[in-house]
Structures are given as structure tokens and as C-alpha cells.
């Protein structure tokens, strides 16, 4: 049986034997850890063939000066109560005791309709003014997954909330694949591609490359990094790798690969040129196209120029993408003659018209056919996430049930600024017209929108609009500096959990390594304390403590193992027994089954086939087939006259997103604490920019500073600045608002990828680049991103009981 709920159970009660090594996990790797004196010693999981250097960031989190130890409340909110407030982002914060801060938050939740879900008036849409989308990766560990926790809490306290759909990772790509192959998740996850690359594939064409830095990460926990070995064994067997990318190091395994550098955003034209060549030279697999696809005739007409008088010849493609017609023909010929795998990284679809390169790559692989050959075909985002291309698991992994969201309202996740700025206005998504809700309360836990969203000046403006913003965070990020009530959250090292990721072969017990920092509490305990005040504690906890929940969610996996006749330890033994190997599924994946029999295993598309033409897409106003659509910001367009560089804002090598940006691996990739931007060496020469110069990267949306690194491995006209630096906007004489630390989202655009998917398009942006002359301001250290006030709580206590004259009704 489980023990009863104990809200705030961590407080002062934790004793941990710190010397014994314990099992733990992170999004970038499983590991064991123990203390040697005060130092946390992290050892990669013994069965991980290629552990990530990002593991070295972990000890820095334990007591970093940016950690939050007590609840904080924004001074303006304390003084004036809830309401839109343009001081957000430039206000100071006051420390409060837990009970007082929880009372404040509970009063505000109850003012906005929070309380026992069952007491809602009939007919009212639950939580319609509460935005709980709360996008973000938080930490590995499936029970303390902050996003699940906040969703569950809002479902229990309000009966629902305005949610978010899709991800910043993939939205344009997922929406199009859902439409034209029926299920984006299944085509991404079902297929043993790394094994095939090792043993069978003859040619891999990787749009966006196969960067090992990205493959170090799997959401929920990562135990085995197999990409490097698989690629190297494939190379040794004679498999040819072609990395199509503006950055040479997007193919980063040792060994020879061919590199092709199209202009960013033009891969669809390159693929159309290949397709045209295959078609006119009779190298298409017409039998495959007839049996497995619909709409080939429409795409063929488009290739031939029958619909728009433009023949999509390799010469036409060369004019757009900059790759010579000869190279395009050569690649198409090679693909037709070999067992070819085509993959497209997420990065390409995080862009305007991001649907098109994904859809066209699928079409190109259909034209090549080879349904019966393992190791040939199309797979989505093999180079983007460590758990793709591995066989799916045969048993379910633990997750926290989130309850039911009865609101039914949502936004496509990257519409956050528009939601807050334009309530009541309409937009389209997947062919439907929708309307933005009016939001009073934003509740965020486990994400950093001032890392992940684009056009951060616009987001800052959007965050002035709600009445109240409540946030759980473990460190003082730029998002905390825009919130009203901040609850300090523990990090995984300070609690128990279970690490798991779809497709990752191990279930990893995450033992507690140390006591919580200061007065930080688990997200679960914070929600328990609020649920208690709102009268929905039992609903939220179902009578379980954290450990009770862990036992409960582990039981599902344990049962499934036993049903298959495999042994599984009981919960207590599992938690101290190290990573548990899980069985993998032998059931054929979606595409394999479809290829075996497209009638009995039809896809869940309108036609049951791979759609090279889609009525749904056509009805949304886009061309109904994959097409070259000129983006607003690209190097071949008129915008490039004023802003001659294409920024690539890709994933950082030394960290996951903004997490542990202060850790040693992350810091080793910076100069003087500032993010580094790489640009082509000849471009740098031309502009008089030398290694180590600080440059301003800017456009009409904003500006950010970075340290220049000229590099022949970067395509001409491209400047690469990875995401992750903590946003630190400051007014600089003569320059306006500039992020001193090098966050690229100061300059990216938050326009939707298209009216169909409304996906994040933040991977690229046209910018100007110039060297900063004269003295350069220092970076803002992590610990100063959130401005805190000293010891004023007592003076303010009289003002904090009753923010808007609304009595606490408990
Ligand atoms: N320009 C541009 N922008 C991008 C991208 C890009 O390619 N280009 N990539 C996008 C992509 S793919 C993604 S996924 C997003 C990532 O965006 P996010 O997922 O928002 O980024 P993280 O830095 O992982 O933010 C997680 C936050 O949760 C906090 N946290 C960690 N553990 C816990 C916990 O247990 N409890 C609580 N309460 N908080 C916790 C961390 O301190 C951190 O601040 O960024 C997107 N933004
Ligand atoms: N180390 C590390 N690994 C990570 C993450 C991290 O933060 N750090 N984040 C994880 C997450 S949440 C996600 S979603 C995935 C993201 O996976 P991706 O989105 O695939 O990763 P990115 O690095 O943003 O993009 C991959 C590459 O695409 C290339 N690219 C960009 N635009 C174009 C284009 O128009 N054409 C071509 N041919 N190439 C282009 C860029 O050179 C870039 O390096 O990574 C995961 N892995
Ligand atoms: Mo992502």
C-alpha cells in the first residue's frame, strides 16, 4: 500500500548517504553519482558506449548562485495586486515565507475560478482564462515531469486550462506527416534505422546532417548513445554519407562524408531538381508510386512545369539553392542506384514553409521505391534525437496521468505571444479557423519561454498582459524575471524518480543524491500545498505520496514485463538495483507493415496511402503537393540586400537548451562568458572581423552580441549562433536594446511556419553582422538575471494578505 500524502515532505527530513554511488539519469545520459567530500562525482552508465560531455554540467547545479531557495514575489504585484503590468521584466523581487506565498497564489487561483473541479457551474468552460500549456523540457524523470504535474494540477483545480499542441521541436513537420502519412510519431519512432545504417544502407542522404551533439539527447532520459558507432561501422562497410547542411560539422562522426551546402531554406528546390532528373531519366519506381502513393500525377505535372510553366530542372534548382545542376544530377543518379535512406532533421522544418522539405523528402524516397529493402526509405529526424531509429519498446514506460482537460481550448505551442497580445482574434490551424482565448493567468513549470520562444522583445510585451504569472523554477532565468510569483523547485538530484524515454532500452532508477537546495520543494509538493488550500488535495494526490506515485506508475511496466514472462524486480528492488533493461518490440513498424500489405495495413490518411497530393493541405491555401515556396527571409530574396546574413540558431553543443548554461562543458564553448557565433572565414575577412571580436547580430526585431569565430566549415552568407545563452537585454548607447549574452531569439521571428501548421520557424532569420567598436559591455552573470531585493518581507507583509480585496475562501 502507498502511504498518505505529505505535502512538502522534503522539508528538513531528507538524509542521504552521500558516499555510496547511486543510479540517476538526465536527458543527455544515465549515470551513477556519489559525493567525494563536497564534490559530486558523476560516472557515465557503464553500458553507454559514447557518453555525452554534457554530463559534466550536472554538479554545477547543486549550489549555483542562481539557484532559488525561497519563494519570490514581484514587488509591483505585491504592491498593486494582479493586473496587466508593464513593469514585468524590469521589476525587483522580494523573498517570502512558503506559507505566505502559497496563500497568495491560492487566493489568486481561487479568484480566477480555481477550486474543486466538481464545483464548477454547469455550462462554464473550465479554466478558459488560464494558460497552462507550460511548454518545456524540465528534467529527466517521468513522475516529477513538471509539465505533466502542472497539467494534472490545473485539471484538478480548474477542470481544465488552455493547452498547447505540437512542440518547438517539430510542428510543421509533424502536422504535414500526420496529414500525408497518417502519423508523424510512428514514422519517426518505428524503425531500426541505426541497425540498418550499420548493416545494410548504401547511401544516407541526411538533410541537416547527423550531428552527434544533438543525438546525445533523448526526452526523459538517455542510456545508450549508439549513433557514433553505427555511423562508423556503416562507413567501414562502405556506406556513403551525404550531409546536406550549411555547417560541415553537422556530420560530426570521424570519417569521410560528402558535404553539400545549399542556401538555408532551399532544400525543397534541391530535392525537386533531383526528382525532376529521376523522372525524366526514367529512374522512378512507377510500380511503387502506383501501389503505395496517391497524387503522383499532380506532383509529376508540377515537376514538368504543367501547373506553373516552370520546369523543376536541376538548372532551375541550382538558381535557388546554389548547388550545381551537375551535383544535383549526380546525387539523384547515385540515390537511384543504391539502397538509399533519406532523413530530414527537425531543424529544416523549424522554418517558414517547414512542411515542404519534409514532405518533398518523403516524395523523393517514394520515387526511389525499394519497399522491400531494409535500410532504404524515409525516416524523419534521425539526426535530431538520440531515441529515434531504435526499435520501440515492447512494454509501456511509466508516466504521470494528467487527468482530463475539459476546456478543449488550445494554441499551437509557438503562438504564445499572439495569444497574450491578441485575445479574441482569429487564426488558422490544420485548415480550421480558431480564436485566441482571453488569458488572465499564466501558470508555467519546467520550461523557459525566454529561452525557447522567438522575438523575445515581443514576448516581453506579451508577458505584460496577464493579471498574474506563476512559475516554478530552480534557477533565476529571464522567465523568472517576468513572473509574479516564483516557487523554488528542486532539481532531480534532490528527489527520487524514474528515467525513461520511448525507444530507450533502459528504465533508470533515479535515486536521491542530496538534500534540497535551501527551501526548494518538489513541483509535486508545491501543487499539493496549493491543492490543499483549494480543497482538491485528494483529487490531485489520489492519496499518494511521491514515493507512492513512483510505485504506482512503475507497476504498469512491471506488470507488462511479467505478462510477457520476463522477470522484473519489485519496486523497492528496482529503485536500488540500477538500470533495468526493457524488451524491445518485434512487431513491424508502421511503414514496414504498410509496405507488406497496403490494403490490410492502410495508413490513416484520407486515401490510406502516402499522399503526394493532399486535399486537406490544398484546402488550407497552400499548394496541395510539396512545392518550392519562397520564404520571406532567405539569402536569395530581396530582404538579403539589407540583411545579408542568414542566422542559423541551432541546438547548442555544450548543454541542453538553456539548462546548466553555467556548467563547465557549456562555459568551455564560450569566450569571456559570451556565446560564440561562427561565420565563413572569407565573409569575416571581408567585414574585417577577426577571431575573438565581439559582433552585433541584428535586424529590425532586435540585437544580440556574440564572439566571432571565422570558420571555413560554415557556408558563405551564414552565421551560426546556437540557442541557450540566458537572455539579458540591456539598452546600449547607439545600439538600442541588445542581449549582452548572445541569445539568438533576440532577432528571430515568431511568425508561424505556415497558416496550416503554425509551427515554430525560429531556426533561421536574416540579420546584419557588424563588429562592435570600442569598449564592449561584459556579460550579465547568471546569478544577476533575476534582480532580487533584500529583507523587505516584513515591511511588505501587511500588503500581501489580500491582493485585490478578494478574501481567501478556503
Ligand atoms: N531560435 C531557436 N529557438 C529555439 C530552438 C531553435 O532551434 N532555434 N529550439 C526549440 C526547441 S526544439 C525546444 S525543445 C525549446 C526548448 O525550450 P525549453 O524546454 O523551454 O528549454 P529548457 O532550457 O530546457 O527549459 C527548461 C526549464 O525548466 C527548468 N527545470 C528543470 N527541471 C525542472 C523541474 O524539475 N521543475 C521545474 N519547475 N523546472 C525545472 C530549467 O531550469 C529550465 O529553465 O527551445 C526552442 N527554441
Ligand atoms: N546538445 C544538444 N542536443 C540536443 C538539444 C540541445 O539543446 N543540445 N536539443 C534537443 C531537442 S529538444 C531537439 S528538438 C533536437 C533538435 O534537432 P534539430 O532541430 O535537428 O537540431 P538543430 O541543431 O536545430 O538543427 C540541425 C541542423 O540543421 C541545419 N539546418 C538548419 N536549417 C537548414 C536548412 O535550411 N537546410 C539544411 N540542409 N540544413 C539546415 C543546421 O545547420 C543545424 O545544425 O535536438 C535535441 N538535441
Ligand atoms: Mo526540441
Amino acid at each position: 500500500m502507498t502511504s498518505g500524502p505529505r505535502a512538502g515532505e522534503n522539508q528538513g527530513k531528507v538524509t542521504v548517504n552521500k558516499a555510496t554511488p547511486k543510479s540517476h539519469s538526465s536527458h543527455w545520459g544515465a549515470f551513477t553519482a556519489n559525493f567525494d567530500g563536497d564534490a559530486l562525482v558523476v560516472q557515465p552508465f557503464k553500458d553507454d558506449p559514447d557518453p555525452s560531455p554534457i554530463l559534466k554540467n550536472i554538479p554545477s547545479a547543486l549550489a549555483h548562485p542562481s539557484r532559488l531557495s525561497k519563494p519570490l514575489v514581484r514587488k509591483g504585484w505585491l504592491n498593486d495586486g494582479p493586473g496587466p503590468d508593464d513593469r514585468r521584466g524590469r521589476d525587483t523581487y522580494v523573498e517570502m515565507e512558503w506559507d505566505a506565498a502559497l496563500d497568495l497564489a491560492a487566493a489568486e487561483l481561487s479568484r480566477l475560478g480555481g477550486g474543486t473541479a466538481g464545483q464548477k457551474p454547469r455550462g462554464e468552460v473550465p479554466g478558459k482564462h488560464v494558460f497552462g500549456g507550460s511548454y518545456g523540457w524540465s528534467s529527466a524523470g517521468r513522475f516529477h515531469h513538471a509539465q505533466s504535474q502542472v497539467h494534472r494540477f490545473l485539471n484538478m483545480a480548474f477542470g481544465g486550462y488552455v493547452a498547447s499542441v505540437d512542440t518547438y521541436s517539430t510542428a510543421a513537420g509533424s502536422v504535414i506527416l500526420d496529414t500525408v502519412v497518417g502519423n508523424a510519431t510512428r514514422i519517426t519512432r518505428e524503425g531500426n534505422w541505426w541497425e540498418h545504417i550499420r548493416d545494410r544502407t548504401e547511401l544516407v542522404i541526411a538533410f541537416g546532417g547527423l550531428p552527434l551533439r544533438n543525438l546525445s539527447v533523448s526526452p526523459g532520459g538517455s542510456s545508450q548513445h549508439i549513433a557514433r558507432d553505427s555511423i562508423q561501422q556503416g562507413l567501414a562497410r562502405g556506406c556513403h554519407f551525404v550531409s546536406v547542411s550549411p555547417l560541415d560539422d553537422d556530420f560530426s562522426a570521424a570519417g569521410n562524408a560528402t558535404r553539400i551546402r545549399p542556401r538555408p531554406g532551399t532544400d525543397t528546390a534541391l530535392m525537386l531538381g533531383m526528382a525532376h532528373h529521376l523522372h525524366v531519366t526514367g529512374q522512378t519506381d512507377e510500380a511503387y508510386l502506383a501501389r503505395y502513393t496517391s497524387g503522383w500525377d499532380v506532383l509529376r505535372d508540377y515537376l514538368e512545369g504543367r501547373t506553373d510553366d516552370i520546369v523543376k530542372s536541376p538548372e532551375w534548382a541550382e538558381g535557388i539553392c546554389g548547388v550545381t545542376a551537375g551535383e544535383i544530377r549526380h546525387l539523384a543518379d547515385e540515390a537511384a542506384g543504391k539502397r538509399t535512406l533519406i532523413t530530414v532533421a527537425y531543424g529544416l522544418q523549424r522554418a517558414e514553409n517547414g512542411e515542404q522539405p519534409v514532405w518533398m523528402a518523403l516524395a523523393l524516397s517514394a520515387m526511389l521505391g525499394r519497399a522491400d529493402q531494409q535500410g532504404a526509405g524515409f525516416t524523419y529526424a534521425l539526426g535530431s534525437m538520440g531515441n529515434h531509429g531504435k526499435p520501440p519498446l515492447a512494454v509501456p514506460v511509466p508516466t504521470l496521468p494528467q487527468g482530463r482537460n475539459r476546456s478543449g481550448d488550445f494554441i499551437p505551442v509557438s503562438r504564445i505571444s499572439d495569444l497574450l497580445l491578441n485575445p479574441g482574434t482569429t487564426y488558422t490551424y490544420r485548415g480550421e479557423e480558431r480564436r485566441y482565448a482571453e488569458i488572465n493567468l499564466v501558470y508555467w513549470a519546467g520550461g523557459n519561454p525566454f529561452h525557447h520562444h522567438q522575438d523575445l522583445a515581443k514576448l516581453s510585451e506579451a508577458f505584460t498582459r496577464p493579471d498574474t504569472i506563476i512559475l516554478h523554477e530552480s534557477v533565476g532565468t529571464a522567465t523568472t524575471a517576468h513572473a509574479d510569483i516564483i516557487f523554488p523547485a528542486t532539481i532531480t538530484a534532490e528527489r527520487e524518480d524514474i528515467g525513461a524515454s520511448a525507444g530507450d532500452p533502459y528504465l533508470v532508477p533515479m535515486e536521491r543524491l542530496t538534500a534540497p537546495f535551501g527551501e526548494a520543494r518538489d513541483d509535486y509538493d508545491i501543487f499539493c500545498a496549493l491543492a490543499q488550500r483549494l480543497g482538491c488535495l485528494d483529487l490531485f494526490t489520489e492519496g499518494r505520496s511521491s514515493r507512492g506515485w513512483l510505485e504506482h506508475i512503475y507497476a504498469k511496466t512491471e506488470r507488462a514485463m511479467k505478462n510477457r514472462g520476463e522477470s522484473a524486480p519489485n519496486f523497492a528492488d528496482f529503485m536500488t538495483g540500477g538500470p533495468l533493461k526493457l524488451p524491445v518490440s518485434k512487431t513491424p513498424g508502421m511503414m514496414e507493415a504498410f509496405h507488406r500489405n497496403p490494403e490490410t495495413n492502410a495508413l490513416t490518411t484520407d486515401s490510406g496511402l502516402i499522399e503526394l497530393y493532399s486535399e486537406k493541405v490544398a484546402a488550407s491555401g497552400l499548394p496541395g503537393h510539396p512545392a518550392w515556396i519562397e520564404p520571406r527571409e532567405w539569402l536569395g530574396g530581396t530582404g538579403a540586400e539589407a540583411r545579408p546574413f542568414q542566422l542559423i540558431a541551432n541546438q547548442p553543443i555544450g548543454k541542453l537548451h538553456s539548462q546548466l548554461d553555467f556548467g563547465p562543458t557549456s562555459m568551455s564553448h564560450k569566450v569571456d562568458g559570451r556565446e560564440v557565433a561562427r561565420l565563413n572565414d572569407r565573409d569575416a575577412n571581408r567585414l574585417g572581423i577577426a577571431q575573438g571580436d565581439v559582433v552585433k547580430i541584428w535586424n529590425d526585431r532586435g540585437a544580440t552580441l556574440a564572439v566571432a569565430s571565422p570558420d571555413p566549415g560554415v557556408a558563405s552568407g551564414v552565421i551560426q549562433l546556437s540557442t541557450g545563452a540566458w537572455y539579458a537585454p540591456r539598452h546600449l548607447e547607439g545600439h538600442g536594446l541588445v542581449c549582452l549574452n548572445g541569445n539568438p531569439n533576440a532577432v528571430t521571428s515568431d511568425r508561424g511556419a505556415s497558416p496550416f501548421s503554425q509551427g515554430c520557424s525560429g531556426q533561421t532569420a536574416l540579420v546584419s553582422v557588424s563588429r562592435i567598436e570600442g569598449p564592449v559591455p561584459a556579460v550579465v552573470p547568471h546569478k544577476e538575471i533575476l534582480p532580487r531585493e533584500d529583507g523587505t518581507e516584513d515591511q511588505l507583509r501587511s500588503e500581501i494578505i489580500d491582493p485585490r480585496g478578494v478574501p481567501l475562501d478556503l
Side-chain angles (χ1 to χ4, degrees):
M1 256 323 278
T2 54
S3 53
R6 289 174 298 152
E9 66 168 356
N10 269 340
Q11 299 316 299
K13 290 183 190 162
V14 178
T15 49
V16 185
N17 179 347
K18 294 168 108 179
T20 12
K22 296 192 175 59
S23 165
H24 211 75
S25 194
S26 65
H27 294 304
W28 49 91
F31 60 95
T32 57
N34 68 305
F35 281 85
D36 179 8
D38 284 340
L40 184 72
V41 183
V42 170
Q43 295 285 352
F45 174 45
K46 62 175 177 34
D47 290 343
D48 186 343
D50 185 25
S52 166
I54 303 178
L55 280 176
K56 295 200 185 87
N57 287 337
I58 287 173
S60 67
L62 297 185
H64 191 268
S66 68
R67 282 293 300 271
L68 306 176
S69 71
K70 289 188 84 164
L72 293 159
V73 182
R74 188 171 63 78
K75 209 171 162 188
W77 194 93
L78 264 183
N79 287 334
D80 303 327
D85 193 341
D86 62 11
R87 289 169 296 185
R88 289 195 187 102
R90 32 192 198 90
D91 215 343
T92 56
Y93 286 79
V94 184
E95 278 193 353
M96 282 182 76
E97 296 305 328
W98 268 103
D99 276 343
L102 287 164
D103 288 349
L104 270 183
E108 180 60 356
L109 292 169
S110 116
R111 180 181 79 88
L112 296 170
T116 309
Q119 292 172 1
K120 289 282 152 309
R122 244 178 237 282
E124 188 182 302
V125 180
K128 64 179 177 186
H129 299 308
V130 177
F131 180 68
S134 187
Y135 182 79
W137 268 56
S138 63
S139 296
R142 297 295 80 185
F143 170 67
H144 291 287
H145 180 237
Q147 217 184 122
S148 306
Q149 292 280 349
V150 68
H151 294 164
R152 182 177 171 86
F153 171 74
L154 294 174
N155 283 336
M156 302 308 163
F158 286 87
Y161 57 90
V162 178
S164 62
V165 296
D166 305 328
T167 60
Y168 279 80
S169 317
T170 168
S174 296
V175 169
I176 194 70
L177 288 175
D178 279 350
T179 311
V180 302
V181 285
N183 191 316
T185 310
R186 292 191 62 191
I187 197 170
T188 311
R189 292 214 189 125
E190 296 179 7
N192 308 356
W193 291 105
W194 288 116
E195 234 168 85
H196 298 333
I197 284 178
R198 194 188 59 196
D199 299 336
R200 293 184 205 286
T201 307
E202 293 165 344
L203 171 67
V204 177
I205 308 177
F207 290 90
L210 295 169
L212 295 174
R213 64 162 199 281
N214 289 5
L215 294 167
S216 64
V217 167
S218 305
S222 189
S223 65
Q224 288 192 316
H225 297 88
I226 60 167
R228 189 189 303 270
D229 286 352
S230 309
I231 293 171
Q232 261 148 15
Q233 289 173 38
L235 278 165
R237 187 178 47 76
C239 178
H240 181 205
F241 289 80
V242 177
S243 174
V244 185
S245 166
L247 306 176
D248 283 2
D249 65 358
D250 277 339
F251 185 87
S252 53
N256 277 337
T258 301
R259 280 152 176 114
I260 293 181
R261 294 171 171 180
R263 286 189 178 115
T266 65
D267 302 75
T268 309
L270 168 58
M271 295 180 215
L272 285 164
M274 288 173 69
H276 182 269
H277 177 69
L278 291 176
H279 172 52
V280 298
T281 53
Q283 297 187 83
T284 48
D285 186 338
E286 296 294 327
Y288 182 98
L289 291 165
R291 182 153 164 76
Y292 298 103
T293 71
S294 67
W296 164 232
D297 52 331
V298 183
L299 180 60
R300 196 181 49 209
D301 283 352
Y302 175 69
L303 290 173
E304 290 174 354
R306 288 179 200 278
T307 30
D308 59 359
D309 288 333
I310 299 169
V311 178
K312 308 305 172 306
S313 65
E315 281 72 20
W316 164 83
E318 174 178 342
I320 293 168
C321 70
V323 179
T324 66
E327 274 181 283
I328 295 172
R329 286 198 175 87
H330 181 76
L331 185 59
D333 288 338
E334 186 182 350
K338 283 183 170 172
R339 194 183 283 240
T340 300
L341 169 64
I342 299 179
T343 187
V344 179
Y346 284 157
L348 278 83
Q349 56 79 59
R350 201 174 298 113
E352 249 192 291
N353 310 311
E355 296 86 354
Q356 304 306 325
V358 178
W359 195 4
M360 190 55 215
L362 176 74
L364 191 58
S365 90
M367 293 170 72
L368 294 169
R370 298 184 182 268
D372 54 340
Q373 292 186 1
Q374 275 195 332
F378 169 83
T379 184
Y380 181 41
L382 184 67
S384 302
M385 211 67 88
N387 61 340
H388 295 171
K390 295 180 174 180
L393 299 173
V395 293
V397 294
T399 50
L400 175 68
Q402 299 183 2
R404 185 163 154 244
N405 182 349
R406 293 192 288 119
S407 124
D409 198 2
F410 65 82
I411 53 162
V413 67
S414 65
R415 296 301 93 228
I416 175 70
S417 288
D418 290 343
L419 165 74
L420 299 178
L421 290 169
N422 308 314
T425 63
T426 57
Y427 65 98
T428 55
Y429 174 66
R430 295 195 192 224
E432 259 181 37
E433 186 169 283
R434 304 185 50 84
R435 193 176 293 276
Y436 291 120
E438 197 169 303
I439 298 299
N440 297 117
L441 176 82
V442 172
Y443 206 129
W444 221 296
N448 187 359
F450 282 85
H451 157 75
H452 68 230
H453 195 59
Q454 288 61 55
D455 197 346
L456 290 178
K458 180 177 168 189
L459 184 68
S460 203
E461 169 68 20
F463 265 53
T464 65
R465 302 299 173 86
D467 291 352
T468 299
I469 299 171
I470 306 182
L471 177 71
H472 299 189
E473 246 302 349
S474 47
V475 285
T477 63
T479 302
T480 59
H482 287 82
D484 299 320
I485 303 177
I486 308 163
F487 291 119
T490 52
I491 58 172
T492 65
E494 298 157 3
R495 59 194 189 221
E496 295 184 301
D497 213 329
I498 300 174
S501 185
D504 188 275
Y506 281 90
L507 192 66
V508 185
M510 297 169 67
E511 297 176 81
R512 197 189 315 266
L513 307 176
T514 185
F517 177 79
E519 294 182 20
R521 293 188 187 179
D522 298 350
D523 293 293
Y524 181 65
D525 292 344
I526 300 167
F527 287 127
C528 283
L530 290 173
Q532 187 162 37
R533 283 166 170 78
L534 293 169
C536 56
L537 181 65
D538 292 343
L539 212 56
F540 179 67
T541 65
E542 295 179 22
R544 294 188 187 94
S545 64
S546 303
R547 194 164 172 98
W549 271 109
L550 286 173
E551 183 166 3
H552 177 71
I553 63 177
Y554 171 75
K556 195 167 64 166
T557 308
E558 186 187 357
R559 250 193 328 270
M561 295 279 281
K562 290 191 170 146
N563 287 344
R564 292 172 48 91
E566 311 208 24
S567 70
N570 69 31
F571 173 68
D573 291 344
F574 164 72
M575 282 308 291
T576 53
L580 174 67
K581 183 113 195 194
L582 299 175
V584 297
S585 170
K586 302 262 189 295
T587 315
M590 177 177 90
M591 291 313 277
E592 196 183 332
F594 170 66
H595 283 147
R596 281 187 193 172
N597 187 335
E599 281 82 38
T600 50
N601 304 317
L603 299 176
T604 54
T605 56
D606 291 343
S607 58
L609 301 167
I610 298 171
E611 302 204 332
L612 307 183
Y613 174 83
S614 159
E615 283 294 345
K616 278 193 184 123
V617 177
S620 79
L622 292 176
H625 52 82
W628 161 248
I629 308 170
E630 188 177 339
R632 261 167 287 198
E633 298 188 31
W634 72 297
L635 289 171
T638 48
E641 286 157 22
R643 306 274 176 242
F645 280 89
Q646 184 70 276
L647 171 72
I648 298 280
N650 61 350
Q651 311 308 305
I653 189 165
K655 58 192 168 248
L656 174 71
H657 314 140
S658 70
Q659 296 194 37
L660 311 184
D661 186 36
F662 42 70
T665 301
S666 168
M667 293 305 279
S668 74
H669 293 281
K670 303 192 187 219
V671 174
D672 299 330
R674 185 171 278 131
E675 213 65 35
V676 170
R678 296 187 301 159
L679 73 168
N680 180 270
D681 51 342
R682 282 192 301 254
D683 287 343
N685 256 339
R686 194 166 38 78
L687 296 176
I689 293 170
Q691 180 79 35
D693 283 351
V694 174
V695 290
K696 182 174 76 162
I697 300 169
W698 51 286
N699 58 24
D700 298 340
R701 291 177 290 263
T704 192
L705 299 188
V707 178
S709 180
D711 186 334
V714 175
S716 155
V718 166
I719 183 161
Q720 176 248 337
L721 174 64
S722 294
T723 57
W726 289 17
Y727 183 53
R730 296 290 183 272
H731 278 282
L732 280 194
E733 191 67 36
H735 298 284
L737 199 64
V738 178
C739 172
L740 301 188
N741 292 359
N743 185 313
N745 280 325
V747 299
T748 53
S749 158
D750 84 335
R751 70 171 80 91
S754 78
F756 188 56
S757 70
Q758 296 290 359
C760 169
S761 66
Q763 176 83 185
T764 55
L766 284 184
V767 293
S768 296
V769 178
S770 46
R771 197 161 66 113
I772 292 271
E773 307 293 341
V776 177
V779 295
V780 180
H782 297 93
K783 67 176 188 324
E784 288 171 23
I785 297 283
L786 176 69
R788 305 180 219 193
E789 287 218 336
D790 294 326
T792 44
E793 190 202 331
D794 280 346
Q795 300 143 22
L796 288 157
R797 189 169 271 284
S798 60
E799 298 167 54
I800 64 181
I801 302 304
D802 190 3
R804 260 199 183 165
V806 183
L808 254 188
D809 182 15
L810 299 176

